[in-house]
Amino acid sequence: MEVKTSLLDNMIGVGDMVLLEPLSEDSFLENLKKRFDHNEIYTYIGSVVISLNPYRSLPIYTPDKVEEYRNRNFYELSPHIYALADEAYRSLRDQDKDQCILITGESGAGKTEASKLVMSYVAAVCGKGQEVNKVKEQLLQSNPVLEAFGNAKTVRNDNSSRFGKYMDIEFDFKGDPLGGVISNYLLEKSRVVKQPRGERNFHIFYQLLSGASDDMLKKLKLERDFSKYNYLSLDSATVSGLDDAANFRTVRNAMQIVGFMEDEMQSVLELVAAVLKLGNLDFKPESRCNGMDESRVKDKNDLKEMCELLGIEQSVLERAFSYRTVEAKMEKVSTTLNVAQAYYARDALAKNLYSRLFSWLVTRINESIRAQAKTRHKVMGVLDIYGFEIFEETDNSFEQFIINYCNEKLQQIFIELTLREEQEEYVREGIEWTNIEYFNNAVICDLIENNQNGILAMLDEECLRPGTVTDETFLDKLNTICAEHQHFESRLNKNSKFLNDHSLPHNCFRIQHYAGKVLYRVEGFVDKNNDLLYRDLSQAMYKANHSLIKQLFPEGNPAKVNLKRPPTAGFQFRASVGTLMGNLQTKNPNYIRCIKPNDKKAAHIFTDSLVRHQVRYLGLMENVRVRRAGYAFRQAYEPCLERYKMLCKNTWPHWKGPARQGVEVLMTDLQVPAEEFAYGRSKIFIRNPRTLFFLEEKRKQCLEDLATLIQKIYRGWKCRSHFLLLKKSEIVVAAWYRRYAQQKKYQKIKHSTTVVQSYTRGWQARKLLRELKYQKKCEEAVTTIAAFWHGTQVRREYRKFFRANAGRKIYNFTIQRIMQKYFLGLKSNLPSMSPIDKSWPARPYSFLEGVHAELRRIFHLWRCKKYRSQFTEEKKAVYEEKLEASELFKDKKALYPSSVSQTFKGDYLEMVKNPKYQKLSSAIDEKILLADVVNKINRANGKSSPRLFLLTKKSVILADQKTGQVKTSLPLPDLSSVSTSTQSDGFFALKLKEVRRKWFEVYLFF
């Protein structure tokens, strides 16, 4: 019998925040902390999963857990990420609905691990098979590759994703994975050239230097010491718990599984080494005759090694670091770069080289894991992207602005899809829909992305306009256009209420996001949005002989010079976000909100202020309010009746009618107010969590009463059973004891009787023995006397006969016994029935020599006769041929013994069946007795040529092996003799009679 379970069973705190009562930010945090302290890291908000990073391993991801959540209702078990993954997978497989799983949270909250858990669960529950397992392995092994090149150690997280990732996993109609497509967003490429204190560059740099062999480092012109490279921070080069060498081997193995060729992996590592070499380039100023400063490379050794790695002429790249060419229509203007500009160009090249390499890796992985079939696929998308970021005052820059814009869009689509899902369920169940009041952040999205007056549009406009462009001019433009916007604040705008706000610096502006106010420093906005790489460097890269570099810098092709300015970083990201939002709109959303419990990356620590901050910017309270605005809880009639049927006598223990009627009877009996619930087509909707907790409290009390009744009945039954068992045992013990006592008494009497009987029988036996001995002695005496008397009489009567014939009779008797023994011994020692067995028993007596030899001859003839009687006519003919051959060649030809076991076939070439020789066969009228291939020796020069040797009853014929044309035909009467050698060869000679007064010989060999 299956045990029915529920989210509400054995609940620690409240498993679903929708049921939290009373609802406030403090009670929300208190519930999270209570569950976190009991290792319950997952909590629901309706269908949304809140995940707290435990910073330690928990035994909740075992194969048994996978099976436990497989094909179970979402609210049937305690909250778990597997429940959401299973719900999404079953909706995709069974209802043909494309799914997307949105994972958000700040760095260190566990987003990457959550995406891995979702993918591993789907891989575990979907189909099996060689091809399916290969696809699953490739999808899972793409993670280590992207983590190595896109993750880094930060102050918040030792394995922080520094890029956004969206993966579409494609399934067939059975729910088996076919492949996937990965999209990446906004790689933090500025980390390549500079890392904040306490953080590292991307993992791959440290993994390469730690895990590569000495030979590989020598080929890449690298040294193992981190301090040799300016782009690698030294204060956090080694991270406890991270084995860079082992991770490097894992990455190489993962690249092989995904489908990278060995030369592709070598090319990727060469580019990584080139980035490290690029960071070691230093420049010095050099004055020209016109008074302009020009930059020069100080130490050209690193430049030389980098050029050798990339296959670039050193002079070409050196010039690109010293000069910049500006093209406008038909004019080209070349200007020198000072030292600061040269360093800017170096860092820009390093950032672009690494960023483009990362994009190429994503494209290459997609080529390997993309589904090959052209048919329509079911799709499950997994989005792992940065959460809302609010750093310390004035530390928020262009990257945080872009990230927060993306989160505003995600929040907008989250609210829209959540409301839409609620409304669709209400309509589906026939419940009246009531408008829900909520904060619509479309006004904030419009402030950022509006094509005319949006911040991104103004930033692009400022970057593209001629004249002097600085971050200050951009801020002035914002102050002019966005001054009246209610979510925009600045010290220099026209709104005087901020003039005395000293928390708002002059070079900053503030936006009131849905998650709170964020202060952005405009320094670097223009440069980071331009993301400018000098055309001279692009063209220098394109001239490289390296197989991968040309693919990464296509704009450097002189034949395809494009004078149009490349799109800005903000424009590209806005387009990517628009595409992502359109993609998410077509799928059924599932949400995982990841929260970091503390900044120390330690287990068992829950920092209220930090969690409160994340709860606010993730909009979790808003999420709960939206979900509770209608009906806080809904449940299908069958599980509802199954759970609460013991609260009503009419429904307990079994309800015979429809489940809805049973629920109606139940709610009427409990006198629940009608405004607190509503009946849908398949579910009951409960408006207030208090009503649900009232039902749970009643159920808990009822269960206690039932448990008390069950315990009472059980204890009575147990006591009665124990008493009956004791009574039965007492009877059994008494019976066994009485039996034992009677047995002992009987055995004692029996033993005494046996002793008496034995003594009596002994006395009787001894008496009888004495009588028998006496009688026997008497009989023996009589017999002896009679024997002596009869002997005396016989000797007297036959004495004369005995003396005359005694010797002859004894001799005949002896001979008869010897012959009988001889024949019996010969019968048991006869040799085998094989005619070639020459063994024979030895002669026992010399006088039997003639008989012994004659019996051996007779036995051998009889044995041969028996052996011949088994032969068929065909076998007799074969043995006759073998006998003829034996007479001719035995002891004369060395090759003869090895040929005895071979059967004479005659037509070895199968002239009749072989189409090649049918023409030759038809030309010969006689029956062919022998046909084989021989080599005819030319006596003039000793050379041999292959011939077909045919023997009939009248002639010998030699024909060409290839054409089948008859070369020689010799009548048998013309043959004088046939000669062979005595050695182990196939040589023989045909001697002819005298022709034209000469002897003619034909030498042949097989």
Side-chain angles (χ1 to χ4, degrees):
M1 178 181 177
E2 183 181 2
V3 179
K4 299 293 184 180
T5 57
S6 171
L7 168 72
L8 302 172
D9 289 333
N10 303 319
M11 187 168 57
I12 297 173
V14 178
D16 191 342
M17 289 294 188
V18 176
L19 305 178
L20 187 61
E21 190 70 24
L23 176 63
S24 66
E25 195 173 78
D26 292 335
S27 63
F28 191 98
L29 291 174
E30 183 63 30
N31 187 57
L32 283 180
K33 186 177 187 305
K34 183 177 182 181
R35 292 180 61 78
F36 179 77
D37 291 340
H38 288 81
N39 296 328
E40 293 289 341
I41 63 172
Y42 296 112
T43 308
Y44 291 156
I45 302 178
S47 59
V48 177
V49 175
I50 302 174
S51 171
L52 274 77
N53 191 344
Y55 287 115
R56 63 193 179 98
S57 297
L58 294 176
I60 58 175
Y61 307 110
T62 61
D64 292 337
K65 276 289 180 183
V66 172
E67 290 301 319
E68 182 180 348
Y69 280 86
R70 187 173 186 175
N71 294 328
R72 302 294 288 269
N73 185 275
F74 185 77
Y75 297 103
E76 192 172 342
L77 299 172
S78 60
H80 201 291
I81 194 172
Y82 284 170
L84 181 138
D86 186 74
E87 184 75 14
Y89 176 71
R90 287 192 292 115
S91 296
L92 176 137
R93 182 192 63 191
D94 302 336
Q95 302 175 22
D96 202 18
K97 290 182 180 179
D98 288 349
Q99 303 291 315
C100 64
I101 298 176
L102 280 66
I103 307 172
T104 56
E106 73 171 43
S107 178
K111 301 187 299 298
T112 302
E113 288 302 317
S115 65
K116 290 180 184 177
L117 289 171
V118 170
M119 293 177 63
S120 64
Y121 179 85
V122 173
V125 300
C126 64
K128 302 293 187 290
Q130 183 176 357
E131 193 63 29
V132 173
N133 289 340
K134 178 183 177 183
V135 172
K136 290 193 291 188
E137 188 67 17
Q138 286 185 332
L139 290 173
L140 294 176
Q141 290 300 323
S142 65
N143 282 323
V145 180
L146 295 179
E147 285 184 15
F149 287 87
N151 288 24
K153 190 264 181 190
T154 67
V155 292
R156 299 184 175 188
N157 185 7
D158 290 343
N159 187 32
S160 175
S161 297
R162 308 315 301 159
F163 69 103
K165 182 180 74 172
Y166 177 73
M167 173 184 280
D168 267 336
I169 308 173
E170 299 172 327
F171 298 83
D172 62 9
F173 69 97
K174 303 189 300 298
D176 295 340
L178 298 173
V181 178
I182 299 173
S183 302
N184 64 300
Y185 301 95
L186 198 64
L187 176 72
E188 188 189 13
K189 57 185 177 182
S190 60
R191 182 172 292 272
V192 175
V193 299
K194 185 179 180 182
Q195 305 91 41
R197 185 171 183 79
E199 299 190 2
R200 294 204 315 178
N201 210 324
F202 292 103
H203 290 326
I204 187 62
F205 296 111
Y206 304 92
Q207 292 174 357
L208 174 61
L209 296 179
S210 301
S213 62
D214 294 335
D215 291 339
M216 179 180 289
L217 289 179
K218 187 176 180 181
K219 289 180 182 178
L220 298 176
K221 307 183 187 304
L222 295 175
E223 299 180 41
R224 208 173 289 280
D225 187 3
F226 297 156
S227 63
K228 299 287 186 181
Y229 305 101
N230 297 332
Y231 279 166
L232 301 183
S233 61
L234 299 180
D235 56 341
S236 300
T238 304
V239 181
S240 61
L242 279 183
D243 187 348
D244 290 319
N247 289 339
F248 180 72
R249 293 189 292 271
T250 301
V251 170
R252 284 184 62 86
N253 182 57
M255 293 178 77
Q256 290 177 349
I257 293 174
V258 171
F260 283 83
M261 298 293 106
E262 193 65 36
D263 58 334
E264 290 178 323
M265 289 191 284
Q266 183 65 25
S267 298
V268 169
L269 295 180
E270 288 172 354
L271 293 192
V272 174
V275 172
L276 290 175
K277 290 289 182 184
L278 193 58
N280 288 352
L281 296 183
D282 286 320
F283 302 94
K284 61 183 178 179
E286 190 173 288
S287 299
R288 301 181 66 184
C289 57
N290 59 1
M292 300 287 289
D293 282 342
E294 179 183 338
S295 66
R296 291 291 181 187
V297 178
K298 280 186 182 180
D299 184 1
K300 297 184 179 181
N301 184 50
D302 284 317
L303 178 64
K304 177 185 176 184
E305 291 180 346
M306 188 186 75
C307 291
E308 290 175 355
L309 281 173
L310 302 181
I312 304 175
E313 291 185 18
Q314 183 175 340
S315 59
V316 174
L317 190 56
E318 187 175 2
R319 176 177 173 77
F321 283 128
S322 301
Y323 295 90
R324 179 187 178 189
T325 303
V326 179
E327 298 183 28
K329 296 184 179 179
M330 302 301 293
E331 297 182 3
K332 286 186 179 181
V333 179
S334 181
T335 61
T336 60
L337 300 178
N338 58 32
V339 173
Q341 291 172 329
Y343 277 116
Y344 174 84
R346 179 199 70 175
D347 291 344
L349 178 60
K351 290 188 290 185
N352 274 273
L353 183 58
Y354 191 84
S355 174
R356 297 182 188 203
L357 172 62
F358 186 78
S359 298
W360 179 86
L361 281 171
V362 174
T363 304
R364 179 64 182 81
I365 291 173
N366 285 338
E367 290 176 1
S368 296
I369 66 176
R370 180 177 281 111
Q372 303 299 321
K374 301 293 184 181
T375 57
R376 181 187 177 278
H377 307 139
K378 301 177 182 180
V379 176
M380 177 185 290
V382 180
L383 177 64
D384 174 7
I385 202 164
Y386 336 83
F388 205 88
E389 289 194 351
I390 305 177
F391 291 160
E392 298 296 329
E393 293 293 328
T394 72
D395 283 346
N396 300 296
S397 186
F398 179 75
E399 291 86 359
Q400 283 68 47
F401 176 75
I402 290 295
I403 290 170
N404 293 343
Y405 159 63
C406 179
N407 278 272
E408 285 285 358
K409 295 294 290 183
L410 288 174
Q411 176 68 8
Q412 185 181 27
I413 194 174
F414 168 67
I415 295 295
E416 289 178 0
L417 293 177
T418 301
L419 289 176
R420 187 176 69 187
E421 182 183 359
E422 286 281 296
Q423 184 175 7
E424 287 177 353
E425 183 170 20
Y426 281 22
V427 172
R428 186 168 58 248
E429 292 293 329
I431 303 295
E432 182 180 354
W433 169 256
T434 57
N435 289 325
I436 298 174
E437 294 294 332
Y438 67 97
F439 172 67
N440 190 345
N441 67 334
V443 62
I444 303 175
C445 296
D446 186 69
L447 170 64
I448 298 173
E449 68 181 2
N450 187 280
N451 291 329
Q452 299 298 326
N453 300 323
I455 296 177
L456 287 177
M458 286 186 285
L459 180 59
D460 289 348
E461 183 180 332
E462 192 69 11
C463 291
L464 296 175
R465 76 173 177 82
T468 303
V469 177
T470 63
D471 296 317
E472 288 72 20
T473 60
F474 165 62
L475 183 56
D476 291 340
K477 197 178 187 83
L478 291 183
N479 291 331
T480 303
I481 297 177
C482 301
E484 302 299 329
H485 200 286
Q486 58 181 339
H487 293 278
F488 179 83
E489 302 173 4
S490 172
R491 282 285 295 273
L492 301 178
N493 67 5
K494 297 177 182 179
N495 195 337
S496 60
K497 68 178 181 178
F498 300 115
L499 293 177
N500 298 321
D501 187 356
H502 297 289
S503 66
L504 189 57
H506 288 278
N507 63 338
C508 298
F509 65 92
R510 188 157 54 202
I511 294 179
Q512 186 173 351
H513 290 280
Y514 76 92
K517 293 182 179 181
V518 183
L519 184 67
Y520 298 104
R521 181 163 48 94
V522 296
E523 182 182 344
F525 261 63
V526 173
D527 283 342
K528 292 176 180 178
N529 189 52
N530 270 327
D531 195 21
L532 185 61
L533 178 67
Y534 297 149
R535 183 173 289 122
D536 301 73
L537 289 172
S538 297
Q539 293 177 349
M541 292 293 105
Y542 188 79
K543 292 178 182 177
N545 294 327
H546 197 275
S547 59
L548 190 53
I549 286 289
K550 284 184 180 291
Q551 300 179 41
L552 301 184
F553 293 89
E555 75 276 11
N557 188 353
K560 299 180 180 179
V561 173
N562 187 1
L563 299 181
K564 293 181 64 176
R565 191 180 183 93
T568 62
F571 176 83
Q572 295 180 47
F573 188 73
R574 182 173 61 175
S576 299
V577 169
T579 304
L580 176 62
M581 296 302 123
N583 193 355
L584 297 180
Q585 286 279 8
T586 63
K587 296 179 173 62
N588 185 49
N590 303 271
Y591 300 93
I592 301 174
R593 304 298 204 189
C594 298
I595 294 178
K596 182 168 64 172
N598 61 78
D599 274 330
K600 299 179 181 179
K601 295 178 279 190
H604 306 295
I605 298 177
F606 188 93
T607 307
D608 287 0
S609 58
L610 179 63
V611 176
R612 186 186 302 272
H613 172 71
Q614 296 173 81
V615 167
R616 286 175 180 173
Y617 76 62
L618 286 173
L620 298 184
M621 293 296 296
E622 185 75 12
N623 188 0
V624 176
R625 292 190 184 99
V626 169
R627 186 64 190 252
R628 287 180 57 156
Y631 290 90
F633 183 78
R634 67 287 318 264
Q635 190 174 27
Y637 289 121
E638 288 80 4
C640 180
L641 181 62
E642 185 69 25
R643 185 171 184 81
Y644 301 113
K645 63 182 180 180
M646 74 281 297
L647 303 182
C648 175
K649 294 181 180 180
N650 297 325
T651 57
W652 178 259
H654 299 293
W655 174 256
K656 302 298 184 180
R660 173 169 177 167
Q661 292 181 10
V663 173
E664 291 175 353
V665 170
L666 177 66
M667 299 302 280
T668 302
D669 186 73
L670 293 174
Q671 298 180 356
V672 179
E675 63 274 11
E676 287 296 321
F677 63 92
Y679 296 113
R681 292 188 176 90
S682 62
K683 298 179 181 179
I684 180 172
F685 289 73
I686 298 176
R687 185 179 300 277
N688 200 306
R690 286 193 300 270
T691 305
L692 181 65
F693 291 139
F694 165 74
L695 294 175
E696 283 297 310
E697 188 63 30
K698 294 282 288 182
R699 180 177 182 270
K700 182 179 179 182
Q701 183 61 43
C702 188
L703 286 177
E704 290 177 357
D705 295 341
L706 287 174
T708 303
L709 177 62
I710 292 171
Q711 286 176 349
K712 181 182 72 172
I713 296 173
Y714 171 74
R715 286 171 183 153
W717 169 83
K718 187 174 182 181
C719 289
R720 285 192 300 275
S721 300
H722 183 65
F723 167 74
L724 292 175
L725 181 62
L726 288 176
K727 183 178 179 181
K728 182 179 179 181
S729 301
E730 188 272 335
I731 294 172
V732 171
V733 169
W736 278 91
Y737 176 76
R738 286 194 293 271
R739 176 187 177 188
Y740 170 77
Q742 291 297 323
Q743 283 180 340
K744 293 292 287 183
K745 182 178 180 181
Y746 167 76
Q747 288 175 356
K748 187 175 180 180
I749 296 173
K750 182 179 178 181
H751 177 70
S752 301
T753 304
T754 304
V755 171
V756 173
Q757 287 178 346
S758 64
Y759 275 102
T760 303
R761 292 191 184 109
W763 174 77
Q764 291 177 347
R766 286 191 294 275
K767 181 179 178 182
L768 178 62
L769 179 62
R770 286 194 297 271
E771 293 176 355
L772 291 175
K773 283 183 177 180
Y774 177 77
Q775 184 179 355
K776 184 178 179 180
K777 286 181 180 179
C778 293
E779 290 177 355
E780 287 177 352
V782 172
T783 302
T784 303
I785 294 171
F788 274 97
W789 170 250
H790 287 302
T792 303
Q793 294 296 324
V794 169
R795 283 193 295 274
R796 287 177 181 175
E797 183 69 25
Y798 291 96
R799 185 172 293 157
K800 56 181 177 182
F801 299 105
F802 181 77
R803 291 175 180 173
N805 301 312
R808 183 68 179 172
K809 288 185 179 181
I810 292 172
Y811 173 78
N812 290 337
F813 177 78
T814 302
I815 292 299
Q816 183 179 359
R817 294 295 300 163
I818 289 174
M819 292 298 295
Q820 183 180 9
K821 183 178 179 181
Y822 168 69
F823 283 117
L824 290 175
L826 188 63
K827 176 183 177 183
S828 60
N829 294 319
L830 285 175
S832 66
M833 296 298 290
S834 174
I836 62 174
D837 187 0
K838 296 182 180 181
S839 62
W840 187 253
R843 169 173 54 88
Y845 303 101
S846 58
F847 73 90
L848 295 175
E849 181 176 4
V851 175
H852 194 69
E854 184 64 19
L855 286 175
R856 180 177 184 178
R857 184 184 70 82
I858 293 171
F859 177 77
H860 180 67
L861 292 176
W862 173 79
R863 183 169 57 182
C864 291
K865 182 177 181 301
K866 295 288 288 183
Y867 186 77
R868 286 194 305 273
S869 65
Q870 300 173 5
F871 290 171
T872 61
E873 294 299 325
E874 294 178 356
K875 201 168 183 180
K876 286 182 180 179
V878 170
Y879 275 94
E880 288 175 358
E881 292 172 352
K882 289 293 181 181
L883 188 60
E884 289 290 337
S886 175
E887 293 175 356
L888 291 174
F889 300 110
K890 187 176 182 181
D891 300 329
K892 299 175 183 178
K893 181 69 174 176
L895 193 64
Y896 171 73
S898 61
S899 67
V900 171
S901 60
Q902 300 177 8
T903 306
F904 179 73
K905 187 176 180 181
D907 187 3
Y908 293 98
L909 300 180
E910 297 183 347
M911 297 289 291
V912 178
K913 297 180 181 179
N914 196 330
K916 184 176 178 181
Y917 305 127
Q918 284 184 356
K919 184 177 179 181
L920 177 62
S921 177
S922 60
I924 300 173
D925 298 333
E926 307 172 50
K927 181 181 179 182
I928 298 174
L929 303 179
L930 174 65
D932 204 350
V933 177
V934 300
N935 291 303
K936 177 179 178 296
I937 299 177
N938 191 330
R939 291 191 299 173
N941 53 19
K943 294 183 178 180
S944 63
S945 57
R947 291 287 187 268
L948 299 179
F949 181 82
L950 308 178
L951 175 65
T952 66
K953 290 185 177 181
K954 295 183 179 181
S955 61
V956 174
I957 300 170
L958 293 177
D960 188 85
Q961 184 185 9
K962 295 181 179 180
T963 62
Q965 183 180 356
V966 177
K967 294 292 187 178
T968 306
S969 180
L970 302 174
L972 288 181
D974 291 347
L975 285 178
S976 172
S977 63
V978 179
S979 301
T980 63
S981 72
T982 61
Q983 305 303 319
S984 298
D985 53 40
F987 181 84
F988 69 98
L990 302 178
K991 293 186 179 181
L992 308 181
K993 293 179 180 179
E994 186 176 5
V995 179
R996 297 178 183 178
R997 301 178 182 178
K998 285 186 179 181
W999 281 92
F1000 182 70
E1001 294 180 340
V1002 179
Y1003 297 100
L1004 306 169
F1005 67 91
F1006 289 98

